[in-house]
Amino acid sequence: MVFFKHTLSAICVFLLALVVADPQSITHNETFVPDAVLRVSTSNISQSCYPSKSTVLVNGTSPGPELRIKEGITYWIRVYNDMTHQNLTMHWHGLTQAMAPFADGTPQASQWPIPPLHFFDYEMLVPIGMAGTYFYHSHVGFQAVSATGPLIVEEDQVPCAYQYDEDKTVFLQDVFTKDDSTIEAGLVASPLSWSGETDMILVNGKGGGSANGTVCNASLSSINVQPGKTYRLRFIGATTLTFASLAFEGHDLEIIEADGHYTQPHNTSFLQLGTGQRFSALLHTKLNPEKSTYYLQLESRERPTLTRGFAVLNYGPKPSTPFTPPSQPPLTLPNTTLGFLDYELHPFSAPTDGAFPTAQEVTRRVTLTVHQRVSGQTVWIQNQYDWTDAFPAEPYLVSLYKNDSIEFPSMQRALSNNGIDPISRAFPAQIGEVLEIVIQNTGADSGGLDVHPYHAHGAHYWDLGSGNGSYDAAANEARIAASGPPVQRDTTMLYRYAMKTTNGTVMGWRAWRLRVSQPGVWMVHCHILQHMLMGMQTLWVMGNKTEVLGKVGYPDVAGYLQYGGSVYGNASRWPSVVHFTDSWVDEQ
Ligand code: C2O
Ligand code: CU
């Protein structure tokens, strides 16, 4: 765990808010002490059963350290790129980051990546009411497979909605035997050279079981508990590909949080966790356990081969030798539950950022029609457009400031082209709009169908559910009215309802509702890293030019506009950065 100077930074914010009226560049010299430091490097390490290979690590480990911050306080996290040949960013998955436009960690949208041997100070302020379970990961290439770690946002004052004795993180990752650069090159090759299926599902960095027909007896993580207690388990889907089904032997779960929002309690015997999703669940331990260890069993779903991993719920003393996988899986996990938890989770309390917008308030519906196109290179497209490393040439927000390669997205052009402006390749929206975003699955050129965990940066949306066929707004509204108000999420699943259909057949949808309130440039993308690299990403520009760019202008943003500009520190230079949340604090 990383230690933070809560009080100090709270006082600093308060003083600066009084002194500094407008955001301006401030040099982070030796007197500036960041709240946490993450150092990213590569090293040859071995994970699970697999031979050592070059792996991107955070503070020397994967996952990296767990960060704990409090809502309502500004934090500065210094991220060093200690790699000599790769760029880096850090994204704070699930944080809305509306107040710090260059600190969202998206290298093609919000900022130039951190060059080798440079560092960047990320500013973050989680609005009150959004305490919960998050994670951080690089947003460059395939680095997030290992360059990632838990980010827990605690309540500042208000006691937690639920009582528990202790909280524990259950952090899921994938392992591939190919290294990142081989995987990245293969995904954009023509024809496609696939990454391979995941070779193990890791829990807190460890895992063994079986994958792709091979047994792996590597040591397991142990979740240590005591009898008769209540634990809050924070499940984090930091996998790159795996849509996990998981359950504990002999213990049910009570879901209390989804993607940073408390829910009404919901009992379940198992969880499905897509990449990018988080749930907290209470686990009530037995008063008189029949044995000292119970397995947590995890399996991949919706892939051509099965990967099965394990961890251990341990009531006993710390073992002298590490736990290993069972010879037979103790559980039979269910097949994919389509629409898992849809219409079943409801908010714990009224949201702090406005009520669920009614159907009558919806001003516009944008349908993202997703499709896999094969013509030489295999790409994933949304409304005919992909978004890969080949576009844009510089980070989108940077281009808008510089007014060079990309013009500000045209609402008019977008309205006559299924929501996307074909020239700037962005989906524009206006502040005050209530959007319905419908993600519609279609048969690939080959007729195949796939599942996709869709994730939005910049804001959480009201999740309207999912279903087969195409979205029927009236029918779905009736279903919501009957089941109760939906929860806010930032990552939800687009399912498949068959393995195969015909090219272009519309089959399966997911719908979101969103009140557009924060100007900014935000990604909406599938969270399967392989699909992202194959084009499954969109960019949204919320607000007009003045709203997006007007808050902070030249000369203060100049350092953000060049690769390796003055906001990036290195061995011989302190960075000069804008303190964006100062004006944010003033306005609140
Ligand atoms: Cu965790 Cu853009 O995502
Ligand atoms: Cu996908």
Side-chain angles (χ1 to χ4, degrees):
M1 191 188 299
V2 173
F3 178 72
F4 286 112
K5 311 165 303 309
H6 295 125
T7 4
L8 186 61
S9 64
I11 292 167
C12 292
V13 168
F14 177 68
L15 291 176
L16 286 166
L18 292 180
V19 176
V20 184
D22 289 314
Q24 59 178 49
S25 257
I26 294 172
T27 301
H28 284 182
N29 60 19
E30 59 281 343
T31 65
F32 175 85
V33 183
D35 298 293
V37 174
L38 298 179
R39 300 202 77 121
V40 177
S41 60
T42 53
S43 194
N44 284 316
I45 63 150
S46 156
Q47 292 173 297
S48 180
C49 281
Y50 302 101
S52 96
K53 67 170 196 309
S54 174
T55 308
V56 184
L57 304 176
V58 183
N59 293 4
T61 59
S62 177
E66 177 165 298
L67 298 178
R68 288 202 171 237
I69 62 175
K70 283 188 195 279
E71 58 186 4
I73 294 175
T74 294
Y75 289 87
W76 288 92
I77 301 192
R78 179 161 291 179
V79 177
Y80 283 90
N81 181 1
D82 291 332
M83 300 181 287
T84 49
H85 294 98
Q86 296 183 51
N87 287 327
L88 172 76
T89 60
M90 205 54 85
H91 170 57
W92 318 97
H93 179 105
L95 302 193
T96 52
Q97 288 298 75
M99 73 300 292
F102 293 100
D104 193 39
T106 43
Q108 288 183 292
S110 60
Q111 70 169 128
W112 284 108
I114 309 168
L117 307 178
H118 284 67
F119 62 92
F120 182 74
D121 289 341
Y122 283 93
E123 183 179 23
M124 63 190 65
L125 170 58
V126 178
I128 301 283
M130 290 189 74
T133 307
Y134 299 84
F135 65 116
Y136 60 85
H137 62 78
S138 168
H139 220 288
V140 171
F142 207 68
Q143 289 171 357
V145 68
S146 56
T148 180
L151 171 60
I152 309 301
V153 182
E154 299 173 338
E155 279 91 350
D156 187 27
Q157 314 256 316
V158 207
C160 171
Y162 289 93
Q163 302 296 311
Y164 47 86
D165 295 303
E166 224 183 293
D167 71 335
K168 290 182 181 282
T169 301
V170 183
F171 193 81
L172 270 52
Q173 288 171 275
D174 283 329
V175 174
F176 295 85
T177 46
K178 291 184 187 176
D179 64 22
D180 295 0
S181 54
T182 309
I183 291 176
E184 287 165 20
L187 293 171
V188 295
S190 169
L192 169 71
S193 170
W194 182 239
S195 59
E197 299 303 314
T198 184
D199 284 300
M200 191 44 61
I201 307 168
L202 303 182
V203 174
N204 299 336
K206 287 177 165 185
S210 62
N212 306 309
T214 311
V215 171
C216 158
N217 275 317
S219 60
L220 306 180
S221 280
S222 123
I223 302 164
N224 298 315
V225 294
Q226 289 172 349
K229 293 209 158 163
T230 299
Y231 293 88
R232 174 183 186 169
L233 299 182
R234 298 174 181 269
F235 294 90
I236 301 178
T239 52
T240 67
L241 175 65
T242 295
F243 179 35
S245 178
L246 63 93
F248 285 95
E249 263 187 290
H251 296 75
D252 283 343
L253 295 167
E254 184 183 359
I255 295 172
I256 59 165
E257 179 219 338
D259 293 357
H261 299 273
Y262 286 111
T263 65
Q264 300 284 340
H266 182 88
N267 292 321
T268 183
S269 59
F270 75 106
L271 275 184
Q272 281 180 186
L273 192 66
T275 162
Q277 298 188 305
R278 292 93 59 214
F279 291 108
S280 283
L282 298 182
L283 178 129
H284 306 282
T285 54
K286 297 171 188 281
L287 211 47
N288 297 301
E290 320 77 71
K291 50 183 187 173
S292 69
T293 59
Y294 296 81
Y295 281 107
L296 165 62
Q297 184 172 328
L298 310 101
E299 294 177 2
S300 60
R301 286 290 176 266
E302 304 291 340
R303 297 303 312 167
T305 62
L306 177 71
T307 303
R308 180 185 285 135
F310 296 94
V312 169
L313 186 70
N314 176 32
Y315 282 81
K318 271 209 168 155
S320 49
T321 53
F323 292 115
T324 50
S327 50
Q328 289 299 320
L331 298 173
T332 304
L333 294 175
N335 291 330
T336 307
T337 300
L338 296 166
F340 180 66
L341 300 178
D342 290 350
Y343 311 96
E344 291 178 4
L345 290 184
H346 304 293
F348 180 82
S349 54
T352 48
D353 55 347
F356 172 52
T358 64
Q360 292 70 39
E361 287 178 90
V362 173
T363 53
R364 188 158 62 101
R365 180 172 303 128
V366 179
T367 301
L368 293 187
T369 305
V370 308
H371 182 76
Q372 191 194 56
R373 190 170 63 197
V374 185
S375 47
Q377 190 181 341
T378 304
V379 287
W380 287 100
I381 55 174
Q382 290 102 160
N383 300 1
Q384 303 303 329
Y385 293 87
D386 63 43
W387 179 285
T388 64
D389 273 358
F391 180 91
E394 60 185 0
Y396 207 94
L397 182 61
V398 167
S399 296
L400 294 184
Y401 266 109
K402 286 163 84 173
N403 196 17
D404 54 5
S405 58
I406 290 169
E407 58 178 297
F408 203 87
S410 153
M411 196 64 185
Q412 205 184 351
R413 287 196 299 260
L415 288 177
S416 56
N417 191 48
N418 302 313
I420 182 169
D421 169 16
I423 292 181
S424 62
R425 227 189 274 194
F427 289 82
Q430 282 158 5
I431 302 300
E433 275 194 280
V434 176
L435 289 182
E436 247 175 45
I437 299 176
V438 178
I439 306 161
Q440 194 76 65
N441 216 346
T442 67
D445 280 4
S446 66
L449 285 157
D450 210 339
V451 298
H452 308 281
Y454 259 86
H455 170 55
H457 291 221
H460 292 188
Y461 47 78
W462 299 92
D463 183 57
L464 302 184
S466 67
N468 197 354
S470 54
Y471 178 62
D472 177 337
N476 196 51
E477 199 57 27
R479 189 160 179 200
I480 291 172
S483 58
V487 287
Q488 287 170 288
R489 300 292 300 268
D490 57 63
T491 314
T492 42
M493 298 299 300
L494 178 63
Y495 293 95
R496 63 174 167 192
Y497 295 81
M499 298 293 281
K500 231 176 153 61
T501 175
T502 50
N503 181 4
T505 299
V506 170
M507 209 175 180
W509 56 269
R510 161 71 53 189
W512 305 342
R513 197 173 285 165
L514 173 71
R515 194 186 300 277
V516 181
S517 62
Q518 296 299 339
V521 171
W522 311 114
M523 306 290 305
V524 170
H525 61 84
C526 173
H527 211 271
I528 291 177
L529 289 191
Q530 285 89 335
H531 292 178
M532 288 176 67
L533 294 171
M534 294 166 74
M536 210 164 202
Q537 314 184 67
T538 61
L539 182 122
W540 294 67
V541 177
M542 309 301 200
N544 62 31
K545 199 168 183 171
T546 322
E547 290 157 341
V548 175
L549 306 177
K551 198 158 164 179
V552 184
Y554 291 96
D556 295 305
V557 295
Y560 293 92
L561 305 186
Q562 303 301 326
Y563 176 67
S566 57
V567 297
Y568 299 89
N570 59 34
S572 56
R573 178 182 79 198
W574 294 112
S576 292
V577 302
V578 175
H579 283 209
F580 283 94
T581 59
D582 295 350
S583 62
W584 180 269
V585 170
D586 279 346
E587 281 167 20
Q588 300 304 298

